[in-house]
């Protein structure tokens, strides 16, 4: 299995260009040629000025996300052989994020959202290492494990029309990570995270389009995590309402 | 890292009603439409008096009235919830707060009407 | 020098991908269902106004535009139910001794009783109303 395919790439060089433009290349491919390999071929042989992000080549660093024929994909996990019957493949930078240069998106808004939900194990009191490990049963781990496979590649943000509509929406990966730690039996940070889930730009800005879960390269299912977060936020709302009715403080 | 806490969204109320309505519609909706589309016209064509009495008796029964009220009210909340979010999705330039007030206000009003009319039967 | 191109979503974004079109179709089911519920609410009022008014409502429901609305509402509510039950396992997590209940079981536990409702309730209504109409004649 081999051949050659027309690869059309969106170019944008901030020093020279005011608007993006298209550049086409003819790229030879064999069975194991990925989109990332195609980009490396173009940069090495055709046009050294092309910019794109990549690192690990094996779908774990999360750097090489691009739009391939209008779908968010990891370049390293997408193969040209699947497009052998298509006229061309069209590469654009990730949707819903600002374009820095060529295929390089500005992922800072996504990283800021992820940081907002404090996605790390929190303990109320620091424990000395001598106290030993905090143990967890396999069933306890299974509750959050699939949500912990996120590699922060941003494909779900490119897939999410609600993030496109409202960039303040915390978005799929951040809300999934919040749920991942909230479900972890070792974590005690739920109270710090819930206000961000409960807010207008938290879980309630999601309308369950579900495309984030279709495009996730690690099968994390962010749509499930967010909507389980809605249930958690609903319970939190009811508890708060009950506290207010009894004359307590708003939280 | 200091970050001001966001204001709590009131969406849980709307979402709970939306969810209850969606579940009820998924279970009973197709049967209900089949009944008004096929069963009522076929059976009540020749004897409207008996049909009127039958439907009236069903909706006067507390259980029937409760089911009818829940069905109507939750359907209004379910559908108007989706329509409000749909306007936002379609970039209709109205403030979300205004759309929310009008949408859920309409659902509340229609629910009240349903309650009044069902109790008046 | 930084000169990033800002992202901009246009109002027709939902037309650009099959997944978005399916989503919009799911949300659009609300429109015919809302109108249908209005018709039923109107029916409740007419029912209370006596036999003649009820008969006029029945005739109204059988007029061609209302038949069309009910046909669209039937398709809409079936699409709503199908998509709804697809999403249920993503929200509903039922813990068991060894983990959580598998999604396809949950889906089955909704779809089977629902399908029974769809078939049996119209038959039940047919039978019950037939008793009444037969008794009255």
């Amino acid at each position: 299995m081999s051949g050659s395919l027309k690869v059309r790439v969106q170019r944008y060089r901030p020093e020279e260009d005011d608007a993006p433009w298209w550049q086409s290349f003819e790229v030879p491919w064999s069975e194991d040629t990925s989109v990332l390999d195609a980009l490396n071929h173009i940069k090495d042989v055709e046009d050294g000025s092309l910019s794109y992000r990549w690192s690990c080549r094996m779908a774990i660093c999360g750097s090489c996300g691009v739009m391939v024929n209008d779908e968010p994909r990891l370049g390293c996990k997408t193969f040209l052989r699947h497009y052998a019957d298509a006229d061309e493949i069209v590469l654009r930078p990730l949707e819903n994020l600002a374009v820095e240069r060529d295929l390089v998106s500005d992922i800072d808004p996504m990283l800021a959202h992820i940081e907002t939900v404090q996605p790390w194990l929190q303990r109320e009191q620091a424990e000395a290492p001598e106290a030993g490990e905090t143990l967890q049963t396999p069933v306890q781990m299974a509750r959050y494990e699939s949500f912990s496979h996120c590699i922060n590649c941003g494909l779900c943000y490119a897939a999410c029309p609600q993030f496109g509509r409202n960039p303040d929406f915390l978005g799929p990966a951040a809300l999934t990570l919040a749920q991942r730690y909230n479900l972890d039996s070792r974590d005690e940070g739920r109270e710090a995270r819930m206000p961000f889930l409960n807010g207008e730009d938290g879980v309630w800005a999601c309308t369950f389009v579900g495309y984030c879960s279709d495009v996730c390269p690690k099968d994390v299912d962010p749509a499930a995590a967010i909507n389980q977060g809605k249930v958690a936020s609903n319970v939190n709302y009811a508890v708060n309402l009950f506290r207010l009715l009894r004359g307590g403080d708003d939280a | 890292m200091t970050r001001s806490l966001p204001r709590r969204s009131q969406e849980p109320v709307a979402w709970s009603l939306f969810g209850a309505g969606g579940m009820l519609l998924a279970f009973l909706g197709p049967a209900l439409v089949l009944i008004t589309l096929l069963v009522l016209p076929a059976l009540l064509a020749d004897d409207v008096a008996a049909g009127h009495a039958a439907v009236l008796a069903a909706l006067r029964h507390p259980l029937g009235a409760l089911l009818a009220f829940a069905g109507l009210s939750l359907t209004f909340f379910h559908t108007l919830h989706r329509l409000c979010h749909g306007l936002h999705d379609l970039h209709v330039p109205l403030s979300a707060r205004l759309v929310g007030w009008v949408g859920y206000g309409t659902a509340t009003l229609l629910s009240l009407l349903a309650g009044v009319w069902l109790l008046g039967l | 020098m930084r000169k990033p191109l800002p992202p901009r979503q246009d109002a027709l974004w939902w037309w650009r991908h099959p997944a978005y079109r399916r989503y919009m179709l799911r949300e659009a089911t609300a429109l015919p269902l809302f109108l249908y519920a209005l018709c039923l609410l109107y029916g409740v009022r007419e029912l209370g106004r006596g036999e003649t008014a009820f008969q006029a409502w029945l005739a109204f429901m059988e007029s061609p535009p209302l038949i069309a609305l009910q046909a669209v509402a039937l398709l809409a509510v079936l699409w709503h139910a199908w998509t709804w039950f697809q999403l249920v396992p993503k929200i509903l997590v039922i813990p068991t001794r060894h983990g959580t209940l598998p999604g396809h079981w949950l889906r089955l536990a909704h779809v089977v009783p629902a399908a029974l409702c769809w078939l049996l309730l119209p038959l039940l209504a047919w039978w019950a109303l037939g008793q009444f109409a037969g008794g009255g004649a």
Side-chain angles (χ1 to χ4, degrees), chain C residues 96-114:
Chain C
T96 61
R97 224 152 20 109
H98 307 290
T100 52
L101 211 59
H104 56 272
W105 280 30
L106 271 171
R107 210 172 295 132
L108 217 60
H110 282 77
V111 171
V112 171

Side-chain angles (χ1 to χ4, degrees), chain A residues 59-123:
Chain A
I60 198 63
C61 76
S63 309
C64 63
V66 287
M67 303 296 288
V68 182
N69 290 1
D70 291 329
E71 300 202 328
R73 320 238 350 155
L74 289 183
C76 66
K77 212 181 168 216
T78 306
F79 292 88
L80 264 60
R81 63 173 188 269
H82 290 135
Y83 299 86
D85 295 332
D87 295 334
E88 59 175 3
I89 67 172
V90 180
L91 304 181
R92 289 189 291 125
L94 289 177
E95 199 81 62
N96 301 331
L97 295 165
V99 183
E100 282 294 337
R101 173 187 298 271
D102 295 338
L103 298 176
V104 177
S105 306
D106 175 13
I107 59 170
D108 281 356
M110 173 186 85
L111 296 179
H113 287 339
I114 290 177
E115 200 181 342
T116 295
V117 301
Q118 308 173 22
W120 51 83
L121 275 181
Q122 298 183 36
R123 303 286 285 178

Side-chain angles (χ1 to χ4, degrees), chain B residues 19 22-23 26-28 30 32-33 36-37 41 43 47-49 52 54 76 78-79 82 89-91 114 117 121, chain C residues 9 13-14 23-24 26-27 29-30 34 36 40-41 45 47-48 50-51 54 62 70 80 84 117-118 126 132-133:
Chain B
M23 194 57 96
F27 271 94
L28 303 181
L32 192 63
V33 183
T36 60
L37 192 60
L43 281 177
D47 194 350
V48 176
H52 179 253
F76 288 132
H78 171 86
T79 54
R82 277 196 163 161
D89 289 352
L90 293 172
H91 288 234
W117 285 340
L121 286 178
Chain C
Q9 184 187 68
W13 62 267
W14 52 274
Y23 159 73
M24 265 313 190
R26 182 188 85 194
E27 300 299 293
T29 60
F34 175 67
Y36 176 71
L40 292 188
L41 180 65
R45 191 186 78 142
L47 182 72
E51 217 178 289
F54 183 63
E62 281 173 74
Q70 289 173 83
H80 159 76
W84 192 266
C117 279
W118 305 345
W126 180 279
F132 252 94

Side-chain angles (χ1 to χ4, degrees), chain A residues 12 17 100 159 207 228, chain C residues 2-3 5 20 23 26 90:
Chain A
Y12 171 68
D17 303 330
E100 282 294 337
T207 55
Q228 288 163 31
Chain C
R2 279 193 69 192
K3 195 177 82 181
L5 287 175
Y20 297 153
Y23 159 73
R26 182 188 85 194
K90 292 194 184 242

Side-chain angles (χ1 to χ4, degrees), chain A residues 117 119-121 136 140-141 143-150 173-187 193 197 220 225 228:
Chain A
V117 301
W120 51 83
L121 275 181
Q136 187 167 59
Q140 284 173 327
M141 181 172 160
R143 292 185 66 207
Y144 68 83
E145 203 234 344
S146 68
F147 297 151
S148 73
H149 293 178
C150 176
L175 292 168
T176 301
L177 284 169
Q179 187 69 4
R180 175 250 174 275
Y181 284 97
N182 281 349
L183 290 176
D184 193 318
S185 58
R186 301 164 298 177
D187 178 77
R193 285 180 208 109
L197 268 68
V220 168
Q228 288 163 31

